[in-house]
Amino acid sequence: MSAELLRLRKWPVLWVLLGIGLTLDVLFGYVFDYLSYRTGSRPVSEDAPLLAGLLPAGVPVTTVEGMPMFGGAILLILGALAAGSGYGWGTWKTVLTTAPSRLRAFTGLLGALGAVVAGLVAAMFAVNFACAFAIAAAESSSFDLPPLADLARAAGGALLMHSMWASCGVLLGIVARGPALAVGLGMVWTLAVENLLRGTGNVLAPVAAVADLLPGTAAGSLAGALGAVPFADNGTPGVLSTLDGSAAALLLSGWTVVFTLLAGLLLTRRDVM
Amino acid sequence: MTETMVSTDRLTRRYGTRVVVDAVSLTVHKGEVYGFLGPNGAGKTTTLRMILGLVRPTAGTATVAARRTGALIEGPGFFPYLSGRDNLRVLARHRALPDTAADAALDRVGLDGGAAFRTCSLGMKQRLGVAAALLGDAELLVLDEPTNGLDPGGMAAMRGLLRDLAAEGRTVLLSSHLLGEVQEICDRVGVITGGRLVAESTVAAIRGAGTLFVRAAPVDVAAAVAARFGAVTESDGGLRCDSPAPPLVQALVRAGVEVHEVRTVERSLSDVFFELTEDLA
């Protein structure tokens, strides 16, 4: 794992992606909503709940609400690049002739990506708290912290969502044996196919049954269960109320395990050219 | 008894109906430098990949007795944004070696390792690939065209390095197009063409004994005498035969022939290689 952490830590792409993730998180979580609040471009009745979401007590919900959409996409891209680029650079070949076993090399990559996911989640909470405290100070509002249980649930949910999308990216990178196709396929799936299937599910019951089990449905439902307002109720894109929290968490864990096992199976059994 | 470091038994790889490696059985002994020769597309790299476990054989087996193997296969593959030193540190950590192992490997190939891999010249990249193979005191080195892209000085340095590695008792399985290099460095060679191993022996045995070349006048009388010794007359009037020199020269002198030149012509590994690969092409 320390080998993979070393090469990820010095990879400019990692920092660019993490920077984009944090920037989007701050922009969509705080900046746009606060500007909307300050400019009064909403009905007055919505001002109080809008401000409440921007204060420290609202950090758990605000942090997870962006994860099903752009957060997932960024982690999927990271996973696909981290696993897929090694085929083009020839580094899988070098690593697999150096590491004691293919499985050790694969678990090293997973461990390093897990550390990156944990770091990103921690950074998002830290940045969001900083924004929330700044807004609370500017508006002379409450500095009350959220209950620790809510914070822990949100952090756990965030880790689960990001881990699932990162493992999906790793699988795509290994399947495609390169980053470009993997990223393309991942984006088409998360941004188009899943939404189309959910749309089709509204008119075709069998499709709805399948759509309820998709990775994006699980991630969106978990964010919804953690308090984010579903898109259908004028909330955040990607947030759903299809599954309850336990079912969504279970499904997310299941997808993470499936993606990881498939990726591991392919990497350890396929020829490396 | 000679200890075996690498052995393959009817190693075969097919892609669809195309047989890339066809029942190759080769043996590399411990402590020797083994030259693995063949034209482009002969199946060298696929065989080496199967030996290293990167490619699964369709049939047959490859057995490696070494506990620590280092390899450079089909060009060096490194993270382009990392320096050579950091690339080796990544690999050292994969083997649970300290970072200083990377420094030692760099020193061994005479590289500083400070430049980003993507900015290195082809020769530097190649040397870095060899340094990676040397990490962790490898007993067996599998090197696929390690001199690719090296300038003459780099080639000479690489040749010296390979000799040193062999002198240290390491086993080297070396694939190369540079037959002169192989002839100088290797103890034994295997020649593969069309996916089949067509020869495997010591360099001396594979080159065979030298032939005798004689130039004498008058050519027609000399040819008649030499024919009794199995000589053939070449287009330039020279005589070539496998007979020892003294009896042939004595017979020529007795027949009144003036002998102008007598020398032994040794076949180079290159000559043998082209004979073997062209016969089967």
Side-chain angles (χ1 to χ4, degrees):
Chain A
M1 181 170 144
S2 75
E4 290 294 322
L5 269 180
L6 172 62
R7 68 103 169 172
L8 286 178
R9 185 163 53 83
K10 296 203 171 190
W11 192 22
V13 167
L14 172 76
W15 298 106
V16 169
L17 285 174
L18 296 188
I20 289 172
L22 285 172
T23 304
L24 291 175
D25 170 55
V26 170
L27 280 178
F28 288 100
Y30 289 92
V31 174
F32 293 146
D33 281 355
Y34 186 59
L35 286 176
S36 168
Y37 171 78
R38 292 297 295 172
T39 54
S41 56
R42 289 178 181 229
V44 176
S45 61
E46 291 181 10
D47 277 357
L50 182 60
L51 181 62
L54 298 175
L55 298 177
V59 164
V61 173
T62 308
T63 304
V64 295
E65 69 185 1
M67 289 185 177
M69 184 57 82
F70 62 77
I74 284 168
L75 267 293
L76 187 143
I77 292 170
L78 177 63
L81 292 177
S85 298
Y87 289 95
W89 293 333
T91 47
W92 272 127
K93 173 189 70 181
T94 308
V95 166
L96 295 181
T97 52
T98 304
S101 74
R102 290 191 183 200
L103 192 61
R104 283 270 292 273
F106 179 64
T107 53
L109 173 64
L110 288 184
L113 281 176
V116 169
V117 166
L120 176 62
V121 168
M124 285 176 115
F125 274 100
V127 168
N128 288 352
F129 267 116
C131 292
F133 279 118
I135 290 171
E139 298 299 323
S140 303
S141 296
S142 166
F143 281 77
D144 287 350
L145 292 172
L148 208 56
D150 288 359
L151 200 58
R153 265 196 299 274
L159 281 173
L160 206 49
M161 282 186 266
H162 277 354
S163 299
M164 187 275 290
W165 285 121
S167 63
C168 180
V170 168
L171 173 63
L172 289 172
I174 290 173
V175 166
R177 285 188 170 121
L181 181 61
V183 169
L185 283 176
M187 290 300 94
V188 168
W189 178 263
T190 54
L191 300 178
V193 176
E194 281 214 9
N195 288 323
L196 286 172
L197 284 172
R198 274 193 285 275
T200 309
N202 292 333
V203 290
L204 274 176
V207 176
V210 173
D212 287 353
L213 297 173
L214 296 176
T217 306
S221 296
L222 186 62
L226 289 167
V229 181
F231 186 54
D233 302 332
N234 292 324
T236 311
V239 177
L240 301 167
S241 56
T242 311
L243 305 171
D244 65 35
S246 304
L250 200 65
L251 191 56
L252 270 177
S253 305
W255 277 117
T256 308
V257 170
V258 167
F259 291 147
T260 303
L261 286 179
L262 280 176
L265 200 66
L266 280 175
L267 185 70
T268 52
R269 297 197 61 82
R270 264 197 325 190
D271 290 349
V272 178
M273 304 305 286
Chain B
M1 188 177 158
T2 314
E3 201 175 326
T4 299
M5 190 58 97
V6 179
S7 66
T8 68
D9 181 23
R10 301 190 60 76
L11 196 62
T12 303
R13 178 68 208 206
R14 291 189 202 92
Y15 290 104
T17 56
R18 197 164 62 95
V19 182
V20 177
V21 176
D22 189 4
V24 167
S25 298
L26 60 80
T27 307
V28 181
H29 300 136
K30 186 176 181 183
E32 75 177 0
V33 181
Y34 184 101
F36 195 38
L37 312 177
N40 287 337
K44 296 189 299 294
T45 301
T46 306
T47 303
L48 296 182
R49 282 177 186 274
M50 285 192 282
I51 287 170
L52 290 166
L54 291 172
V55 168
R56 286 172 185 277
T58 309
T61 57
T63 308
V64 177
R67 281 166 300 163
R68 299 180 304 278
T69 303
L72 168 63
I73 295 293
E74 216 171 27
F78 290 103
F79 299 104
Y81 54 90
L82 289 182
S83 68
R85 189 173 300 275
D86 280 338
N87 265 297
L88 291 195
R89 283 179 178 164
V90 168
L91 296 175
R93 289 180 184 197
H94 271 294
R95 282 198 168 172
L97 297 169
D99 286 353
T100 49
D103 303 337
L106 284 170
D107 287 345
R108 195 73 204 265
V109 299
L111 270 183
D112 168 58
F117 179 71
R118 64 166 168 262
T119 65
C120 291
S121 68
L122 187 56
M124 287 165 75
K125 289 176 178 175
Q126 204 70 12
R127 280 196 285 167
L128 190 64
V130 175
L134 289 171
L135 273 174
D137 197 26
E139 293 171 89
L140 169 67
L141 293 164
V142 180
L143 304 175
D144 187 14
E145 305 286 353
T147 49
N148 263 3
L150 296 183
D151 57 21
M155 279 190 202
M158 184 67 73
R159 197 165 51 227
L161 175 64
L162 291 173
R163 281 201 184 109
D164 291 347
L165 293 169
E168 291 166 9
R170 296 178 211 270
T171 308
V172 182
L173 171 49
L174 169 74
S175 144
S176 178
H177 283 120
L178 301 173
L179 301 172
E181 302 276 317
V182 170
Q183 184 174 313
E184 279 191 54
I185 299 169
C186 294
D187 303 305
R188 293 197 314 130
V189 295
V191 181
I192 186 172
T193 185
R196 285 184 292 142
L197 192 71
V198 294
E200 186 185 50
S201 191
T202 61
V203 173
I206 217 161
R207 288 171 66 193
T211 56
L212 193 65
F213 178 83
V214 178
R215 191 176 298 283
V219 173
D220 52 343
V221 179
V225 173
R228 300 204 303 265
F229 293 83
V232 292
T233 308
E234 296 191 334
S235 58
D236 63 352
L239 305 165
R240 192 182 286 270
C241 73
D242 294 330
S243 159
L248 173 60
V249 173
Q250 281 172 3
L252 289 171
V253 171
R254 270 194 234 108
V257 172
E258 286 180 17
V259 178
H260 297 285
E261 182 183 359
V262 179
R263 62 184 158 93
T264 302
V265 179
E266 289 189 335
R267 289 196 307 167
S268 67
L269 189 57
S270 176
D271 298 330
V272 180
F273 174 79
F274 286 119
E275 282 169 23
L276 287 168
T277 55
E278 282 171 9
D279 284 352
L280 288 147

